[in-house]
């Protein structure tokens, strides 16, 4: 659908992109792999070659235990919300890596326990039940067992079938037990021969754990409190934007110091009845301007439905900014923004702020009907002022015409294979768009997207 003429829009910010530190995904992945290899090297240096069955079991138990301990550190670090990592790698990718490392840690812990049990049974010449009873008398081993059980339970709670049946608050509260499990595992590690046998290794292992603990406390506790006191955000306006959709505008002090960029999100906690207990991620739907932040939210659950009843003056705690779907990801002069439903919110901010010459920027907005188009007047005003292309892709998802088919995309966006693509929408639409873009010749590395589901 071609662009209808709209009204004028406020001028786009002309400030250069914030030069904040960013860790590229590949660099972080390489660093984590090298750390794992260093752990294997530590094990190899201390391992003693022996053909005895109990020694074979013990050696394998030491390796799996060390890797499990390293995996716990990685898992916690990935969720520490370190800005350079969050802005370079992206919150959704970090969450996926965190989930994978969690599954690996549980598997390694179970293998470590089984191998250690078999090794002890072979060494003492007893059966597994007798060996298990004997090992249960060691406090460090009891702590490790408790930590392993907690991790396994938390891993089970993250399975899709379970997560669909529990609220976000319950799921998040249960995951706080991971810190307890990590502490119990650390107590066990310090008593093991691979760590306790060398003062230097013991010191280094303790230093790594202390560093991750400091990052967790600083970025997940201290920084949010400091931001809340410094910026004192409050709701100043709640405006309906469409069926079940509202924009919430907040104003504070020194908001520019947050260096929030278009395409990023915050975790918002509104200090109002029945809202204060939950902090959920919502993208900025407009650039930061005059010490104000704005989000646009669709009612998809109890929490988001209650946000429609927010009143001016409500205090807001905002943690962030997070996310890597910003102008820093751009590698081409031509850019396509592809949005579906309420996924238009980060795209709207990027549509206004991405540095592009007239004709280089295109926005495709997918919705079932004209009534579901959100922020339409703003989008049309921005497109008119910037000389950008705007097309609405309307119609039911199960209709006879697929506007996201490769042929349709090529017709709407000439030279699509030479574009960077920013993508945000429902999971089904995102998967279909990624597949269609690949068939149009757009490399996966030039398709930038983030998902915020817990």
């Amino acid at each position: 659908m071609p662009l209808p003429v709209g009204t004028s829009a406020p001028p786009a910010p002309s400030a250069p992109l914030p030069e904040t530190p960013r860790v590229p995904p590949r660099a972080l992945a390489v660093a984590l792999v090298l750390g794992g290899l260093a752990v294997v090297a530590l094990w190899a240096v201390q391992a003693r070659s022996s053909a005895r069955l109990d020694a074979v079991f013990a050696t394998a138990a030491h390796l799996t235990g060390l890797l499990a301990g390293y995996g716990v550190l990685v898992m916690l670090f990935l969720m520490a919300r370190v800005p350079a990592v969050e802005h370079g790698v992206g919150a959704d990718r970090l969450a996926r890596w965190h989930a994978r490392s969690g599954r690996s840690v549980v598997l390694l812990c179970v293998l470590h326990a089984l191998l250690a049990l078999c090794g002890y049974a072979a060494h003492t010449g007893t059966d597994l039940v007798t060996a298990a009873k004997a090992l249960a008398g060691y406090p460090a081993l009891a702590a490790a067992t408790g930590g392993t059980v907690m991790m396994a339970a938390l891993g089970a709670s993250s399975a899709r079938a379970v997560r669909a049946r529990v609220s976000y608050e319950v799921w998040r509260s249960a995951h706080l037990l991971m810190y307890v499990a990590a502490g119990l595992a650390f107590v066990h590690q310090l008593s093991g021969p691979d760590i306790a046998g060398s003062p230097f290794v013991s010191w280094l292992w303790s230093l790594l754990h202390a560093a991750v603990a400091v990052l967790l406390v600083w970025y997940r506790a201290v920084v949010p409190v400091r931001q809340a006191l410094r910026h004192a955000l409050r709701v100043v306006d709640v405006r309906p934007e469409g069926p079940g959709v509202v924009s919430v505008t907040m104003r504070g002090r020194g908001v520019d110091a947050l260096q929030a960029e278009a395409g990023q999100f915050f975790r918002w906690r509104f200090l109002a009845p029945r809202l204060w207990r939950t902090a959920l991620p919502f993208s900025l739907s407009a650039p930061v301007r005059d010490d104000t932040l704005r989000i646009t939210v669709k009612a998809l659950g109890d929490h988001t439905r209650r946000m429609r009843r927010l009143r001016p003056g409500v205090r807001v705690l905002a943690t962030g900014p997070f996310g890597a779907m910003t102008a820093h990801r751009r590698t081409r002069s031509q850019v396509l923004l592809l949005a579906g439903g309420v996924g238009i919110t980060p795209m709207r901010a990027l549509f206004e702020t991405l540095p592009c010459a007239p004709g280089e920027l295109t926005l495709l907005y997918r919705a079932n009907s004209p009534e579901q188009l959100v922020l339409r007047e703003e989008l049309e005003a921005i497109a008119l002022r910037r000389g950008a292309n705007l097309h609405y892709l309307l119609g039911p998802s199960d209709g006879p015409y697929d506007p996201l088919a490769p042929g349709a995309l090529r017709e709407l966006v000439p030279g699509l294979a030479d574009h960077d693509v920013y993508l945000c929408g429902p999971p089904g639409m995102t998967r279909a768009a990624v597949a269609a873009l690949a068939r149009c010749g757009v490399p996966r590395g030039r398709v930038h997207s983030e998902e915020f589901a817990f």
Side-chain angles (χ1 to χ4, degrees), residues 209-284:
H209 280 75
V212 172
V214 168
L215 290 174
L216 284 165
V217 172
W218 181 257
Y219 288 112
R220 294 190 69 111
V222 176
V223 168
V225 172
R226 187 179 64 175
Q227 285 183 341
L229 296 175
R230 179 179 182 182
H231 301 296
L233 286 171
R234 292 186 181 273
V235 174
V236 295
D237 183 51
V238 180
R239 185 179 69 221
E241 299 285 4
V245 180
V246 296
S247 285
V248 181
T249 303
M250 293 144 283
R251 179 175 287 118
R253 301 189 303 262
V255 174
D256 286 343
L258 293 170
Q259 293 188 307
E261 301 175 53
Q264 291 187 316
F265 67 95
F266 286 76
R267 290 179 172 88
W268 308 89
R269 188 185 301 273
F270 296 90
L271 303 187
R274 306 183 73 183
L275 284 174
W276 64 270
R277 293 179 57 192
T278 303
L280 291 180
F282 297 112
S283 299
L284 296 175

Side-chain angles (χ1 to χ4, degrees), residues 386-424:
R386 302 198 64 189
N389 304 305
L390 172 62
H391 301 277
Y392 300 131
L393 311 181
L394 302 177
S397 57
D398 57 352
Y401 174 68
D402 181 9
L404 295 179
L409 291 177
R410 290 194 193 98
E411 183 178 351
L412 288 170
V413 189
L416 177 56
D418 294 325
H419 284 63
D420 266 307
V421 180
Y422 290 77
L423 173 62
C424 189

Side-chain angles (χ1 to χ4, degrees), residues 60 143 167 191 199 211 267 273 354 405:
S167 66
S191 65
R267 290 179 172 88
L354 274 176

Side-chain angles (χ1 to χ4, degrees), residues 71-353:
V72 170
L73 281 177
V74 169
M75 186 168 50
L76 295 177
F77 172 76
L78 293 176
M79 289 291 101
R81 298 178 182 173
V82 179
V85 177
E86 288 272 350
H87 299 168
V89 180
D92 63 332
R93 183 177 291 169
L94 289 171
R96 290 195 299 270
W97 290 3
H98 170 80
R100 291 170 187 168
S101 62
R103 290 191 289 269
S104 299
V105 165
V106 172
L107 177 60
L108 286 168
C109 286
V110 172
L111 284 175
H112 170 70
L114 290 175
L115 289 168
L117 179 61
C118 291
Y120 187 81
H123 180 72
T124 58
T126 59
D127 59 82
L128 294 179
V129 174
T130 303
K133 291 179 179 179
L135 289 174
Y138 293 92
L141 292 177
T145 302
T148 300
V149 171
M150 284 186 183
M151 290 182 191
L154 293 174
S157 71
S158 294
R160 291 184 180 181
V162 177
R163 283 167 54 181
R165 291 174 169 80
V166 299
S167 66
Y168 175 80
E169 293 86 351
V170 172
W171 179 83
R172 184 178 180 277
S173 299
H175 270 66
L176 294 177
L177 292 175
M178 177 55 70
Y179 302 123
V180 178
L184 293 173
F186 179 64
V187 170
H188 171 63
Q189 292 162 26
L190 287 184
S191 65
D194 297 285
I195 304 298
S198 167
F200 173 75
V201 173
S202 180
W203 171 84
L204 180 61
W205 201 253
S206 300
L207 181 63
L208 289 173
H209 280 75
V212 172
V214 168
L215 290 174
L216 284 165
V217 172
W218 181 257
Y219 288 112
R220 294 190 69 111
V222 176
V223 168
V225 172
R226 187 179 64 175
Q227 285 183 341
L229 296 175
R230 179 179 182 182
H231 301 296
L233 286 171
R234 292 186 181 273
V235 174
V236 295
D237 183 51
V238 180
R239 185 179 69 221
E241 299 285 4
V245 180
V246 296
S247 285
V248 181
T249 303
M250 293 144 283
R251 179 175 287 118
R253 301 189 303 262
V255 174
D256 286 343
L258 293 170
Q259 293 188 307
E261 301 175 53
Q264 291 187 316
F265 67 95
F266 286 76
R267 290 179 172 88
W268 308 89
R269 188 185 301 273
F270 296 90
L271 303 187
R274 306 183 73 183
L275 284 174
W276 64 270
R277 293 179 57 192
T278 303
L280 291 180
F282 297 112
S283 299
L284 296 175
S285 62
V288 178
R289 185 181 293 113
D290 299 327
D291 276 339
T292 63
L293 300 170
R294 191 186 75 175
I295 58 176
T296 301
V297 181
K298 183 175 183 179
L300 297 173
D302 293 340
H303 187 88
T304 47
R305 278 193 291 269
R306 293 174 188 134
M307 290 179 63
R308 294 179 295 178
R309 297 191 289 273
L310 282 170
R311 293 291 180 265
V314 170
R315 187 73 180 266
V316 185
L317 304 183
T319 307
F322 303 109
M325 193 175 63
T326 67
H328 287 273
R329 284 280 180 91
R330 181 179 177 182
T331 63
R332 294 291 190 274
S333 61
Q334 294 182 300
V335 178
L336 168 63
L337 307 177
L338 182 52
V342 78
I344 190 61
T345 53
M347 298 295 108
R348 183 259 179 251
L350 287 166
F351 196 45
E352 181 176 347
T353 59

Side-chain angles (χ1 to χ4, degrees), residues 9 22 199 221 258 447:
R22 298 169 195 270
L258 293 170
V447 179

